[in-house]
Amino acid sequence: MTRMNGNGQEAEPADNRVSVFDTSLRDGEQSPGFSMTTSQKVRMARALSALKVDVLEAGFAASSPGDFESIRQIAIEATDAGAPVICSLARATEADIEAAGEALAPAAKKRIHVFLATSPIHRKAKLKMTRGEVLKATVEGVAMARSITNDVQFSPEDAGRTEMDFLVEVVGSAIAAGATTINLPDTVGYLTPEEMAEMISEVRTRVPNINQARISVHCHNDLGLAVANTLAALGAGARQVECTINGIGERAGNAALEEIVMALHTRPEAFGLETGIDTRQLYPASRLLAELTGNPVPRNKALVGRNAFAHEAGIHQHGVLQDAATYEIMQPRDVGVPESRLVLGKHSGRHALSARLAALGHSPIDDEFERLFADFKIMADRKQEITDSDLESLVQEIICPANRARDHVSGSIRAIYR
Ligand code: KIV
Ligand code: ZN
């Protein structure tokens, strides 16, 4: 059931529906080695729309003319009701908020995402602002954004290292000023899942007007805990996740969208939550991002890596050939991977070789198969992966068509005289 906030805005989705906020084109794109041109960002935005993300953070309008233009072009393509909400990041300043509003103007649904650091180290070393000054800038920034659009998100940057009393005060003030989403970032990837859950619970219980906003979470992966922390936040009541395709993002990256979505999808009994993502678009979106940024996906990356549904060990291949569920907890096609791959290598056994030969149209008879298998193992010791053309050449060497014809004739004669 959708709840409305005090401003008549949709404040919280159905209790079990998680809103997916993709920041590949902002947090991801701003990290070293991942920058994209406007036309590349527009192509990626189309893939994210096909994936059905709820909110697409297209960039940081005030950060550069190129980012402004990218947001504007993405907004121009998002004019129908089925398009995602298009979002721009903005510091809590007039100039930033104005730029965000202008870049987003063509979109049917637009969100301004105002952020301001709240932790002691950021206040002292970076902002040189007192708590009072941070509070004032938050309220002014959110109110100004709210005069441009009804959909305003506020992020207390480095929330994870902010004193809880102050966090409660800032969040409450941001909501009172008109924020409809409160995003709590673990900016430096420092929290443990238990601490993350605790932060969300405290905010939920201590901020009096919290029901007027949706709680979001934004986790960095410095300790490899981004996805675990995101799932812990959901367990504690957050209902928006900020994430990126392939987990790209500042330093060690953000929580990977595909991992969060498939954890919820594959383990409904553990989480009881769902998203609106078309999971079959996960693999195509991952490939496109890798291609556009020139950063290949690691082979062993969960869900979208080349090995995610590949099997080489003989025992595993045998199992998968009997029933894929022996070693696969998801269907490859559910994430858009065409099929599981049986990789032929030195660990493969007879079952996998025989299945691959059959797929290539070969059905060696007894001793031919044994000779093929022996030669295949010798080749596999020298080569990491045996390709179909390697197999074809082995078949050419071992299965002699002339012998086959003679065997066939003598077999028929034997049958006649039996
Ligand atoms: O990591 C962070 O704190 C951010 C905010 C701007 C949300 O990216
Ligand atoms: Zn971030």
Side-chain angles (χ1 to χ4, degrees), residues 181-244:
T181 300
I182 293 294
N183 178 48
L184 298 175
D186 179 18
T187 302
V188 289
Y190 180 72
L191 299 186
T192 64
E194 291 73 20
E195 288 164 348
M196 172 56 79
E198 178 70 18
M199 175 170 76
I200 303 290
S201 301
E202 288 240 4
V203 166
R204 287 187 77 202
T205 46
R206 291 179 53 186
V207 175
N209 53 0
I210 196 67
N211 284 341
Q212 294 171 27
R214 181 173 301 173
I215 302 181
S216 170
V217 70
H218 174 110
C219 299
H220 278 273
N221 206 30
D222 300 68
L223 293 174
L225 292 171
V227 172
N229 283 345
T230 303
L231 295 172
L234 290 175
R239 285 297 177 268
Q240 175 180 282
V241 288
E242 294 208 359
C243 44
T244 58

Side-chain angles (χ1 to χ4, degrees), residues 156 166-176 182 184 203 207 209-210:
F166 186 51
L167 188 61
V168 164
E169 198 179 354
V170 173
V171 168
S173 306
I175 296 172
I182 293 294
L184 298 175
V203 166
V207 175
N209 53 0
I210 196 67

Side-chain angles (χ1 to χ4, degrees), residues 26-27 218 220 254:
R26 199 280 296 168
D27 206 315
H218 174 110
H220 278 273
N254 285 76

Side-chain angles (χ1 to χ4, degrees), residues 116-118 123 127 129-138 166:
L116 183 59
T118 49
R123 292 195 313 260
L127 300 174
M129 283 167 87
T130 62
R131 282 187 182 200
E133 287 165 337
V134 168
L135 260 181
K136 186 167 178 283
T138 298
F166 186 51

Side-chain angles (χ1 to χ4, degrees), residues 51-305:
L51 190 59
K52 299 203 182 319
V53 301
D54 299 283
V55 188
L56 191 167
E57 190 165 51
F60 181 178
S63 70
S64 74
D67 235 34
F68 181 95
E69 187 52 24
S70 300
I71 299 169
R72 198 164 171 83
Q73 291 304 323
I74 291 168
I76 286 171
E77 292 201 2
T79 48
D80 67 82
V85 175
I86 308 299
C87 176
S88 169
L89 187 67
R91 283 166 295 195
T93 67
E94 220 174 292
D96 270 33
I97 295 166
E98 252 169 29
E102 211 181 304
L104 292 169
K109 292 176 276 176
K110 34 193 161 284
R111 176 178 298 185
I112 299 181
H113 177 187
V114 179
F115 78 104
L116 183 59
T118 49
S119 66
I121 174 136
H122 279 242
R123 292 195 313 260
K124 184 161 178 255
K126 186 179 82 174
L127 300 174
K128 308 202 187 321
M129 283 167 87
T130 62
R131 282 187 182 200
E133 287 165 337
V134 168
L135 260 181
K136 186 167 178 283
T138 298
V139 168
E140 286 171 2
V142 169
M144 180 179 174
R146 190 57 202 260
S147 69
I148 300 174
T149 171
N150 285 341
D151 189 344
V152 175
Q153 173 167 321
F154 176 71
S155 290
E157 189 190 7
D158 206 13
R161 292 189 299 172
T162 299
E163 310 91 323
M164 186 47 71
D165 286 351
F166 186 51
L167 188 61
V168 164
E169 198 179 354
V170 173
V171 168
S173 306
I175 296 172
T180 45
T181 300
I182 293 294
N183 178 48
L184 298 175
D186 179 18
T187 302
V188 289
Y190 180 72
L191 299 186
T192 64
E194 291 73 20
E195 288 164 348
M196 172 56 79
E198 178 70 18
M199 175 170 76
I200 303 290
S201 301
E202 288 240 4
V203 166
R204 287 187 77 202
T205 46
R206 291 179 53 186
V207 175
N209 53 0
I210 196 67
N211 284 341
Q212 294 171 27
R214 181 173 301 173
I215 302 181
S216 170
V217 70
H218 174 110
C219 299
H220 278 273
N221 206 30
D222 300 68
L223 293 174
L225 292 171
V227 172
N229 283 345
T230 303
L231 295 172
L234 290 175
R239 285 297 177 268
Q240 175 180 282
V241 288
E242 294 208 359
C243 44
T244 58
I245 300 292
N246 298 340
I248 68 171
E250 285 288 3
R251 305 179 309 281
N254 285 76
L257 181 151
E258 60 277 8
E259 295 178 21
I260 300 166
V261 167
M262 289 312 288
L264 301 184
H265 186 87
T266 310
R267 300 297 312 276
E269 75 293 354
F271 299 104
L273 296 171
E274 55 189 43
T275 69
I277 293 294
D278 178 352
T279 61
R280 286 158 308 171
Q281 298 296 327
L282 288 169
Y283 185 74
S286 161
R287 292 285 129 180
L288 179 65
L289 183 68
E291 183 197 314
L292 295 175
T293 62
N295 288 287
V297 178
R299 252 187 117 116
N300 64 334
K301 168 79 184 61
L303 297 146
V304 289

